Amino acid sequence: MPHGAEDPQPITLPDKPALEGLEAKWNARWQDAGTYRFDRNHSRGEIYSIDTPPPTVSGSLHVGHVFSYTHTDFIARFQRMRGKEVFYPMGWDDNGLPTERRVQNYYGVRCDPSLSYDASFQPPEKPAKPAIAVSRPNFIELCNRLTSEDEKAFEQLWRYLGLSVDWSMTYATIDKRSQRVSQAGFLRLLKRGIAYQLEAPTLWDIDFRTAVAQAELEDRDQPGAYHRISFTRAGGGTVEIETTRPELIPACVALVAHPEDERYKPLFGKKVITPLFGVEVPVKPHPLADPEKGSGIAMICTFGDITDVTWWRELSLPVRAVIQPNGAFRPVTWGSPGWESRDSARAQQAYDQLANLQPAKARAVIVEQLRQSGELIGEPRPITHPVKFYEKGDRPLEIITSRQWFIKTVEFRDALLARGRELHWHPDYMRHRYENWVNGLVGDWCVSRQRFFGVPFPVWYPIDASGSVDYAHPMPADESRLPVDPSTDVPDGYTAGQRGKPNGFAGDPDIMDTWATSSLTPQIGSGWLDDADLFARVFPMDLRPQGHDIIRTWLFTTVLRSHLEHHSLPWSHAAVSGFITDPDRKKMSKSKGNVVTPMSLLQEHGSDGVRYWAAGARPGGDAIFEPSQMKVGRRLAIKILNAARFALMQAEPRGPMTEPLDRGMLTALSALVQACTKDFEDYEYTGALQKTEKFFWEFCDDYLELVKARRYGDFGGDGAASANSAMLVALSTLLRLFAPFLPFVTEEVWSWWQRGSVHTATWPTTEEVVASIGGADTNALAVREATQGALAEVRRIKSLLKKSTKAVINRAVLPAAFAGLGPATRDFQAATHIRDLQFGEVAEPQLDFAEEPAA
């Protein structure tokens, strides 16, 4: 059949069509029929594969998730109807900090890696206070238990929403397959020297006690103060610096000024003495020093911020670190190597008041010490300035020296920029965010985390005879053994009894950053290492859908890993969605406490209504949470039910479509199909829905009203047959255009008169629609436009005069501009209840109303 149904069935209409219950009804049938099941027996060119974002399983989904995941489903459904075999798996992002925090709060436990596994441990019924310490294996068991329950709830919601996922193809970022892929990817980079370990300055969250990558930073405006402080020049005199972190004076290793700053050129190569602690430090030139900032000369501390790290590295300065991993100032013995002072006793006395304090408290102490010594110039000057935080943290980040794993990134900058230009971005301007991130990289990617629930590094270290761990000679696991956990597994050639002993071994205690695994979702979902046949059919994938806030993390790292491992992009298209904001235009997020959970919305407005609202935001665009738009979507779905019932309840007789309004409507419909197809091909699903919706309401309000009398046989059998046939072609076409957006109501209506699923029917084509009338009819299209224009004018005047739409008009004179409706005069007069219709040189319609109402 031209309308996409190969085997039509007798029309069966419900007495009272309704939206209630459609989700449960059709989800069950889709599951039984395998409607969305992936058939791998297709070539790569016949497959459309999607790298679906695995949502973080740490509680509940919110309406922002519904928003972005629905966008992906629009594309998946369109591609399926275009004849592609759609590979559309779903993953769960289990590992990482959010899951750990949820488990800690839910059960009232905390992980203590020093404890042994307790096979009989059961968490308390209510969260314990204080938290119960449990071993790492026990903690991981609790993480797995809770995420398993969360995954079931997530899947239920996604099904209710109508995501056309193949639910037989799921994975979790902590399952054995994901661990194997993640560990194998790491080992291959280690073998090539792209992954490496280094003890170096590292961004550190003092609450979570873990390293943080550059991509996980966010700036937050914080109150602070500039402190003007006097340093003594070795040859006499003073030099003044300004700093927001005076507590780091004991960690000062140099002063720095711009090479062309005439004020400080005489000091370069000379020394100054730090206040309170009497340490001689050099004055160095460096182009990053800003002559306009503060006094134009700054102190370099190890380490106050990222710029300190740059100066320290490029100027080959020593390390004099004072901050410990818990954020407190560590005890220091002044006068010992590395802590030399002109007056060690005075330095010790001053520093002892700082030891074991957190930075904020140490700042207050040292400011008072400087005030007492006279080395604080004036009073601190209050400011508000951006301070770097871990995106999930509550206190400013510190920089401490620690041993971490890194993946080289900076040296691949040019190649990564080229990959970004090779990728098709939707919208295109999002590419600039990617390029800005790549151009702004200041160091390699730190991939190790000092946490518990994640993918372990598959590495052990030998312990020498003295009991020292030899980090310089790591012992990687053989790839055939993966996945491994070095905290419980034993390296080849050793026994479990040698763990932690001299001449024995130690397992790497860290886990991989969650992005180190998530950056491999295309490989995990595609069966890399496990299913070579599947991998060849779906990789590189076609689409990566994601939010714009994680371009710098997920998109960037996935491009990096694919480039390093496969020398290709991981996918050809990236569709980037925006945020959902509350009415105050603030991003919805759990941390802000302004999220809305979606199930009640889906039940109130129907899944189709919520999906309609989600479709209102174009790729990359933010959208305000507006339940009113969900109500609009629900009304649209109800109208589809009612309009379809009208079109189908008297579908005989049928015959050639000869009437101008029928032919004009279908000619316009063919143009709509062409426009919507192009929109979808360009990933502009919003435009496709807007155009389809506009046409549909015109179809209901204008076309169905105009042909109603003829359809009921008022003008003979041929006219009725033409109307019936045209309505059925239009209904089939419109249902398929709406199907990606409103899957439940379109499937329901399709089932009244077609076999199979609308979601596996063919996407309509322009050629298919015009073939039903023997070709596009531009003359009939002009008749349609003139008739609709005249109908709108008559309705407008009736409304102004507060006349019923059925008010009879004895005589009407319409402007000559509407004379083109002539071939549709019968339909027009029947719809407007005009007895005598004429055209003349009038500015607007002249209507002579009869006294009696229309029958």
Side-chain angles (χ1 to χ4, degrees), residues 652-732:
E652 299 293 342
R654 301 185 208 178
M657 290 164 272
T658 56
E659 291 289 330
L661 281 186
D662 304 335
R663 298 174 65 81
M665 181 272 292
L666 292 174
T667 300
L669 181 58
S670 70
L672 171 69
V673 169
Q674 184 178 38
C676 290
T677 302
K678 185 178 187 306
D679 279 343
F680 262 114
E681 289 173 342
D682 293 339
Y683 294 78
E684 289 287 347
Y685 45 79
T686 301
L689 176 59
Q690 289 174 344
K691 294 179 179 73
T692 303
E693 183 183 10
K694 180 177 183 294
F695 186 98
F696 173 74
W697 284 111
E698 289 178 356
F699 174 80
C700 295
D701 296 342
D702 297 347
Y703 174 77
L704 293 184
E705 291 301 317
L706 285 165
V707 305
K708 185 181 294 184
R710 173 159 55 85
R711 186 274 177 95
Y712 286 136
D714 289 6
F715 308 134
D718 290 346
S722 178
N724 285 332
S725 297
M727 275 191 272
L728 294 184
V729 172
L731 180 60
S732 168

Side-chain angles (χ1 to χ4, degrees), residues 115-412:
L115 296 178
S116 299
Y117 175 66
D118 180 356
S120 63
F121 175 77
Q122 289 295 326
E125 292 185 6
K126 294 183 179 180
K129 292 184 179 180
I132 300 171
V134 298
S135 71
R136 184 169 181 250
N138 285 119
F139 185 76
I140 290 173
E141 283 183 353
L142 294 178
C143 291
N144 285 323
R145 180 192 302 187
L146 193 57
T147 54
S148 177
E149 294 303 313
D150 287 341
E151 287 166 11
K152 293 175 185 176
F154 280 30
E155 180 175 334
Q156 180 184 8
L157 188 143
W158 284 148
R159 285 180 181 270
Y160 198 94
L161 180 63
L163 297 192
S164 58
V165 165
D166 182 347
W167 289 106
S168 69
M169 306 186 75
T170 60
Y171 67 86
T173 57
I174 199 63
D175 65 22
K176 296 298 183 183
R177 173 171 44 145
S178 296
Q179 289 197 38
R180 181 170 179 240
V181 168
S182 187
Q183 289 184 339
F186 169 78
L187 289 176
R188 294 184 182 194
L189 294 180
L190 180 62
K191 187 175 183 179
R192 294 164 57 191
I194 295 174
Y196 64 95
Q197 194 177 50
L198 184 67
E199 184 164 350
T202 307
L203 290 160
W204 188 267
D205 187 284
I206 59 179
D207 291 320
F208 295 119
R209 310 279 179 91
T210 185
V212 175
Q214 183 182 350
E216 297 170 305
L217 306 182
E218 64 180 33
D219 284 335
R220 300 179 194 169
D221 286 338
Q222 299 288 300
Y226 269 127
H227 305 77
R228 198 170 186 95
I229 298 167
S230 175
F231 281 63
T232 303
R233 296 173 61 171
T238 61
V239 58
E240 297 175 1
I241 63 102
E242 285 196 357
T243 180
T244 59
R245 301 205 62 181
E247 72 274 16
L248 293 182
I249 290 174
C252 179
V253 292
L255 299 190
V256 63
H258 194 276
E260 302 303 320
D261 193 327
E262 296 295 336
R263 293 172 295 176
Y264 302 112
K265 276 186 176 181
L267 286 178
F268 295 151
K270 297 182 179 178
K271 301 224 176 143
V272 295
I273 301 165
T274 63
L276 299 177
F277 302 98
V279 178
E280 291 188 355
V281 297
V283 181
K284 300 273 190 177
H286 196 281
L288 284 182
D290 184 358
E292 303 300 321
K293 185 175 181 180
S295 63
I297 190 168
M299 66 173 180
I300 303 173
C301 301
T302 53
F303 295 93
D305 59 23
I306 294 174
T307 307
D308 277 342
V309 177
T310 301
W311 283 331
W312 164 80
R313 181 181 295 116
E314 295 184 4
L315 297 175
S316 300
L317 297 169
V319 174
R320 191 173 292 126
V322 294
I323 304 291
Q324 300 178 101
N326 65 357
F329 275 60
R330 68 188 185 94
V332 167
T333 301
W334 287 88
S336 62
W339 298 94
E340 295 83 0
S341 167
R342 284 191 167 190
D343 188 342
S344 296
R346 180 179 182 237
Q348 193 71 56
Q349 184 181 21
Y351 190 85
D352 285 347
Q353 297 178 55
L354 308 178
N356 300 313
L357 294 182
Q358 293 291 316
K361 290 185 177 180
R363 186 177 310 136
V365 169
I366 205 167
V367 167
E368 184 57 33
Q369 290 176 339
L370 291 166
R371 186 180 285 116
Q372 297 270 346
S373 69
E375 291 161 309
L376 177 68
I377 310 301
E379 285 300 305
R381 178 164 51 90
I383 60 167
T384 298
H385 62 144
V387 177
K388 300 212 177 290
F389 282 73
Y390 175 35
E391 59 189 1
K392 296 179 175 66
D394 297 321
R395 288 198 284 177
L397 288 171
E398 296 293 345
I399 298 178
I400 69 169
T401 300
S402 61
R403 183 173 297 280
Q404 304 290 341
W405 285 105
F406 296 86
I407 291 177
K408 293 180 180 179
T409 53
V410 175
E411 70 180 68
F412 301 108

